[in-house]
Amino acid sequence: MPTLILVRHGRSTANTSGLLAGWTPGVALDERGAQQAAALPARLAALPISEIVTSPLQRCQETVQPLLDARPELRAHTEERIGEAHYGDWTGRKLAELMDEPLMEVVQTHPSSVAFPGGESMRAMQTRAAEAVREWNARVERDHGGDAVYLMCSHGDIIKSLVAEALGLHLDLFQRISVEPCSITAIRYTRMRPFLVRLGDTGDFASLAPREEPPSSDAPVGGGAGAA
């Protein structure tokens, strides 16, 4: 079965503004995010990518464009099911404000029970994304062979939920996973089990350096803005 390269979109204007973007239209990459996207072709140069699949949201479309420009033989397939979580009434709100919502504590500690007000549940988010991956695995294997490599560009919570699913982790543990903007996560699927072979790889270890403010024990909803 294929190897899946999961790319989180580059840093967006919502990330740097501290907003929970969700499906808000017009959320683009910021200057740093555009630089991250521009570096993708070189980072992935050694991989024979057979298909590119992307969330319909602008920040993901912009992230894969440099890769498409570098590989004109490929085109992007838009896949709704790997789009961002539907955060409902939380969409567009400041993350700092959402920290005061009682539901946020549940998002952190028991996400499998969470349904966003006016939106979807986190279990439904994971299920739709995992179903999309299974279908694309079959399609890529049929069209390109069992050793093929393909790429999906998606969002922080989606990628974290797919990693949890591949590792057999309960969704309540997915907040222990971190994927920064434009990070690369790779899952090699086999007949018996998936293997996580890369997780949140940015090629940059600056985010591991000590910070002026101690890191929070809460996981950023939507994935966070990453290192400066």
Side-chain angles (χ1 to χ4, degrees), residues 180-208:
E180 292 198 356
C182 228
S183 63
I184 294 171
T185 294
I187 302 171
R188 180 173 295 125
Y189 289 88
T190 73
R191 186 174 65 86
M192 296 296 293
R193 62 181 63 85
F195 292 89
L196 179 66
V197 293
R198 292 287 189 281
L199 176 61
D201 187 346
T202 63
D204 178 2
F205 294 99
S207 64
L208 302 180

Side-chain angles (χ1 to χ4, degrees), residues 37-93:
L40 264 182
R43 293 172 65 196
L44 298 171
L47 294 181
I49 296 170
S50 58
E51 301 281 1
I52 294 177
V53 185
T54 180
S55 157
L57 295 172
Q58 179 177 337
R59 52 197 183 274
C60 287
Q61 303 273 339
E62 290 180 352
T63 298
V64 299
Q65 191 57 55
L67 190 58
L68 293 167
D69 293 342
R71 303 196 186 198
E73 74 279 9
L74 296 175
R75 67 182 183 88
H77 303 273
T78 299
E79 173 58 73
E80 292 274 339
R81 292 172 295 177
I82 63 168
E84 182 62 282
H86 292 278
Y87 295 116
D89 297 343
W90 282 20
T91 301
R93 291 183 60 188

Side-chain angles (χ1 to χ4, degrees), residues 5-209:
I5 306 300
L6 289 162
V7 176
R8 185 182 166 202
H9 62 78
R11 196 174 73 177
S12 73
T13 54
N15 292 145
T16 46
S17 299
L19 297 175
L20 187 60
W23 284 72
T24 303
V27 176
L29 299 182
D30 68 4
E31 183 178 356
R32 173 62 177 154
Q35 293 170 350
Q36 292 169 333
L40 264 182
R43 293 172 65 196
L44 298 171
L47 294 181
I49 296 170
S50 58
E51 301 281 1
I52 294 177
V53 185
T54 180
S55 157
L57 295 172
Q58 179 177 337
R59 52 197 183 274
C60 287
Q61 303 273 339
E62 290 180 352
T63 298
V64 299
Q65 191 57 55
L67 190 58
L68 293 167
D69 293 342
R71 303 196 186 198
E73 74 279 9
L74 296 175
R75 67 182 183 88
H77 303 273
T78 299
E79 173 58 73
E80 292 274 339
R81 292 172 295 177
I82 63 168
E84 182 62 282
H86 292 278
Y87 295 116
D89 297 343
W90 282 20
T91 301
R93 291 183 60 188
K94 286 275 190 182
L95 287 165
E97 296 174 0
L98 290 171
M99 296 306 296
D100 295 329
E101 294 280 353
L103 184 62
M104 182 59 84
E105 183 178 6
V106 188
V107 169
Q108 296 294 324
T109 60
H110 191 21
S112 66
S113 71
V114 168
F116 293 101
E120 71 179 332
S121 70
M122 301 197 87
R123 285 181 291 109
M125 174 199 75
Q126 182 187 46
T127 297
R128 63 171 163 87
E131 287 176 349
V133 167
R134 281 190 284 272
E135 291 180 20
W136 275 98
N137 281 349
R139 176 173 173 175
V140 169
E141 183 172 18
R142 180 197 68 206
D143 294 344
H144 303 283
D147 60 350
V149 177
Y150 75 107
L151 180 146
M152 282 185 169
C153 185
S154 187
H155 306 267
D157 283 347
I158 295 288
I159 294 172
K160 288 163 56 178
S161 75
L162 288 171
V163 170
E165 200 264 349
L167 291 176
L169 292 177
H170 197 284
L171 185 60
D172 286 346
L173 300 178
F174 100 127
Q175 298 289 29
R176 302 183 183 196
I177 298 166
S178 175
V179 288
E180 292 198 356
C182 228
S183 63
I184 294 171
T185 294
I187 302 171
R188 180 173 295 125
Y189 289 88
T190 73
R191 186 174 65 86
M192 296 296 293
R193 62 181 63 85
F195 292 89
L196 179 66
V197 293
R198 292 287 189 281
L199 176 61
D201 187 346
T202 63
D204 178 2
F205 294 99
S207 64
L208 302 180

